[in-house]
Amino acid sequence: MTNYLDINKNEELLKKQLNYALANSPFYKKRFADCKIDIDAIQSHEEFRKIPITTKEDLQNYNEEFIAVRKDEIIDYVTTSGTLGNPVSFALNDTDLDRLAENERLSFEMVGVRKSSVVQLTTTLDRRFMAGMAYFLGLRKLGAGIVRTGSGLPGLQWESIQRFQPDFLVAVPSFLLKMIDFAIENGIDYKNSSIKTAVCIGEPLRNPDFSLNSLGQKIKNLWDIELFSTYASTEMGTAFTECEYHKGNHSLPDLIFSEVLDENQNPVESGKIGELVVTPLQTQTMPLVRFATGDMVKFYGQNCDCDRKSMRISTPVGRKKQMIKLKGTTLYPQQIINLLTAFQSLKIFVIEASLNENQTDEILIRIPNDFAEINKLQEHLQAGLKVKVSLKKTSVEKIEQLKFPRESRKPKLFHDFR
């Protein structure tokens, strides 16, 4: 089964987006001319795939050439999180902001948010962060109640929950654990709070087989609320969101055309892992055509028990550029993170990748100086990864500095020095 599942439904929107990019984007005017791409001649999947991939390097190196509107039309400037390098600038006009609001309205409705709901946003609306603004715009369009607490400050989060009685939280999964720890330490009856559901962002929550990963399971064991997984990026301006059956993250076919491609840029079959390549639809300021996200996802196909006819994918199993070849074994950082998170007595860690003298990959995991179960942890990792990795005792202060760099908007558990 090919993963071009939505092409009949959104073929008109896709063609319209291609023509818009050709007419208005300096980058794509040149790209289509150089590659002799005739938009009107694209009548099949094979012809569409002749359009070259747009890379993150293209977006970094030719950033201004992607702007397809007059500068005085731009309303909001944001940047990407910079996970794989320097943050990339991105801009939105009024139409893009309306589209962003519609994306989040649809996504929140998918997880059960209604006009009568109250949603607490534990995300920042500042620091050039698109997601926090998107959640606010989407909830406003839906008409739901919003509590804007921002990031951090567990005490404020619980005071707000007690004061406003929200039913939903939007939060990074690891922050939910901090909220639970704070509640336990301060005698807060968190299990009987108003919160029934958490919409989880920024970190993977599930394994490719739909089961909760170690982080998700740890949260669920401590706090029996419903957990929804989401996946998005600044460049896409679109979210992939779980439905109530929790069997993959659904695309929004009217807002994005998606492909999952193998290393030869051919569509993968259902059940296989490939790189997510996207063409956001109905965008104006910075249209992207066949943009390679760098995220490796599992493709599930279209059929779902919820009867929505849209592509389903996993949250990223890893970054294409972060793939590690360790003694003949292919690994992604998230596999290591899941195993470390599952080891209950290990409270903090960071992972470092580097090249050894033979220019092959090496992995080093920094663990606290006072961690006592180093042999058990080594056995646990070797059983899960099928290969031995190095552990190094480090001060908690040093690990915290690496995990929470000042310039980052989210915890950084993996550092790539290759």
Side-chain angles (χ1 to χ4, degrees), residues 158-174:
W158 284 115
E159 192 274 337
S160 299
I161 290 169
Q162 291 163 350
R163 180 186 294 266
F164 299 110
Q165 298 290 297
D167 351 56
F168 289 81
L169 273 180
V170 177
V172 175
S174 56

Side-chain angles (χ1 to χ4, degrees), residues 154-406:
L156 175 64
Q157 305 297 342
W158 284 115
E159 192 274 337
S160 299
I161 290 169
Q162 291 163 350
R163 180 186 294 266
F164 299 110
Q165 298 290 297
D167 351 56
F168 289 81
L169 273 180
V170 177
V172 175
S174 56
F175 183 63
L176 293 176
L177 291 175
K178 289 188 176 181
M179 287 183 61
I180 293 168
D181 286 343
F182 184 93
I184 293 171
E185 291 169 4
N186 291 273
I188 296 170
D189 186 12
Y190 69 94
K191 292 184 179 179
N192 291 307
S193 74
S194 62
I195 298 297
K196 301 296 183 289
T197 303
V199 181
C200 295
I201 64 170
E203 294 173 337
L205 191 68
R206 297 188 186 277
N207 299 310
D209 64 358
F210 309 130
S211 64
L212 288 170
N213 63 20
S214 52
L215 177 59
Q217 195 59 58
K218 184 181 286 190
I219 296 167
K220 190 72 173 174
N221 289 342
L222 292 167
W223 196 6
D224 190 20
I225 56 177
E226 189 166 14
L227 303 174
F228 281 91
S229 169
T230 67
Y231 160 62
S233 73
T234 299
E235 298 95 336
M236 295 191 299
T238 320
F240 291 76
T241 307
E242 279 188 337
C243 69
E244 64 271 25
Y245 290 96
H246 304 286
K247 291 185 177 179
N249 292 42
H250 287 268
S251 70
L252 296 173
D254 289 346
L255 296 181
I256 197 163
F257 181 78
S258 310
E259 311 167 64
V260 183
L261 305 180
D262 64 19
E263 58 187 13
N264 298 314
Q265 296 187 4
N266 294 317
V268 302
E269 296 180 353
S270 181
K272 301 296 184 181
I273 291 174
E275 183 180 11
L276 181 67
V277 174
V278 297
T279 303
L281 305 175
Q282 304 185 57
T283 59
Q284 290 189 358
T285 307
M286 294 182 73
L288 296 175
V289 177
R290 303 198 77 210
F291 175 73
T293 63
D295 290 328
M296 305 299 289
V297 300
K298 190 170 185 178
F299 171 62
Y300 297 122
Q302 182 178 22
N303 297 325
C304 181
D305 293 340
C306 71
D307 291 329
R308 290 180 177 87
K309 302 302 180 187
S310 59
M311 172 188 283
R312 289 180 301 125
I313 60 172
S314 70
T315 49
V317 300
R319 299 274 194 173
K320 186 176 183 180
K321 286 189 175 180
Q322 290 179 341
M323 185 179 75
I324 302 158
K325 280 284 190 180
L326 193 63
K327 301 172 185 175
T329 301
T330 299
L331 302 173
Y332 287 101
Q334 193 59 45
Q335 295 171 264
I336 309 172
I337 291 169
N338 287 345
L339 287 166
L340 292 167
T341 305
F343 203 85
Q344 297 293 329
S345 59
L346 182 64
K347 301 303 182 184
I348 190 169
F349 61 85
V350 290
I351 305 163
E352 297 178 355
S354 59
L355 294 175
N356 61 24
E357 57 196 26
N358 297 319
Q359 296 299 295
T360 58
D361 292 344
E362 281 194 348
I363 290 294
L364 174 70
I365 300 170
R366 294 187 181 273
I367 56 176
N369 280 330
D370 61 357
F371 181 73
E373 300 179 65
I374 193 163
N375 290 333
K376 287 184 179 179
L377 177 59
Q378 187 66 264
E379 291 172 5
H380 171 75
L381 289 169
Q382 195 160 354
L385 301 174
K386 313 304 179 190
V387 65
K388 189 174 183 178
V389 296
S390 298
L391 304 177
K392 183 173 183 178
K393 289 194 171 185
T394 307
S395 71
V396 170
E397 292 76 17
K398 173 68 172 177
I399 297 174
E400 286 180 339
Q401 288 173 8
L402 290 167
K403 184 177 178 179
F404 302 105
R406 288 185 179 180

